[in-house]
Amino acid sequence: MADILGSGAAPEAAHAESVRLLRDAGLRATPQRVLVLEALSANAGHVTADTLMRWVSARLPGINLATVYRTLEALTAAGLVTQTDLGAGAVHYELVGDAQHHHLVCQQCGALIEVPDAAFLPLFEQIKREFGFRPTSTHLAIFGVCPGCAQHAGRDGQR
Amino acid sequence: MADILGSGAAPEAAHAESVRLLRDAGLRATPQRVLVLEALSANAGHVTADTLMRWVSARLPGINLATVYRTLEALTAAGLVTQTDLGAGAVHYELVGDAQHHHLVCQQCGALIEVPDAAFLPLFEQIKREFGFRPTSTHLAIFGVCPGCAQHAGRDGQR
DNA sequence: ATGGGTGCAAACGATTTGCAACACG
DNA sequence: CGTGTTGCAAATCGTTTGCACCCAT
């Protein structure tokens, strides 16, 4: 599984790595795409198109939002990126290659907790057995109340 | 759990029941709201605002989409309705009171399979234990490939 | 009668698309 | 060079909101 974009590696390395990833995926390694890829590896976890746009825009001022979306689409098609709709208006994008995990979303404070995929395997197995349905969800979101908010129950803790 | 809106009952009964539900929730029983409620009970399962709009609009031509949305919001706040974002652009609404269940969404043909909540309990328990996180998700969507599409794998079966 | 509810129209935010200019390979 | 990409601007789509009028209570 090795960290695809060398999460810890130096920026230049990430750059070269990005170029290779794009080429391997049969995509042209344009500066825009490389940057989006780097942005994804920099903001590991989950990012909205808007956040990516800002990150990338900071180092390539001319870039257009539409390009970011088109790149994310291409990367998703190439299997390099996954999209997750956490139900909060904006889709979250994430690099594939990081350990599979799902999310617990706190409805009070918006906190995100990651749950390793392993916890879901039994359920997925059962679903496969009982319904013949093969889950491909790389990201699942479960809404609820996080430990923190559970304590100060009535507290206002909005996002 | 008794069928709140008497799923099998006659329309008039559903009507009276709807009025009572609204009043009990401290809401005015306007014809619009009653109809939205009836629409929800008629199209048991999950409906988009647009679908509801059409159903209601057929019997109360003047009604406005904004009203449907506002009603759904009020009903949700009152705990009578749940909203689920299946990640397909439009949110799905459903009456609370029907048996809890989650959804398997086929990415190929868009088919929806319902999974009883029971299947998720072990997972939810584990999450509560390990993360102290209390899931409140009434609806979870798991994407994947349904049995049908799994067979004619390459088939075009788009939505 | 009176305040919550409605219709209408315009605003919104995320995402998509048509098209001409452009640059990677 | 030629095709895949980009930037720009306008279009979409689901949903929300401001406001004046109206009806359920």
Side-chain angles (χ1 to χ4, degrees), chain A residues 23 28-29 65-66 69-70 91:
Chain A
R23 295 258 170 77
R28 285 194 186 172
L65 224 203
Y69 275 110
R70 281 189 283 231
V91 172

Side-chain angles (χ1 to χ4, degrees), chain A residues 9 19 31-32 36 45 76 81 112 119-120 151:
Chain A
V19 173
Q32 293 88 335
V36 168
T76 302
V81 164
L112 269 180
F120 286 74
Q151 294 187 356

Side-chain angles (χ1 to χ4, degrees), chain B residues 5-6 18-19 23 28 33 49 63 66 70 76 88 105 131 156:
Chain B
L5 275 188
S18 295
V19 174
R23 294 253 171 80
R28 286 193 186 174
R33 288 180 174 173
I63 197 172
R70 281 189 283 231
T76 301
V105 185
F131 301 90
D156 75 288

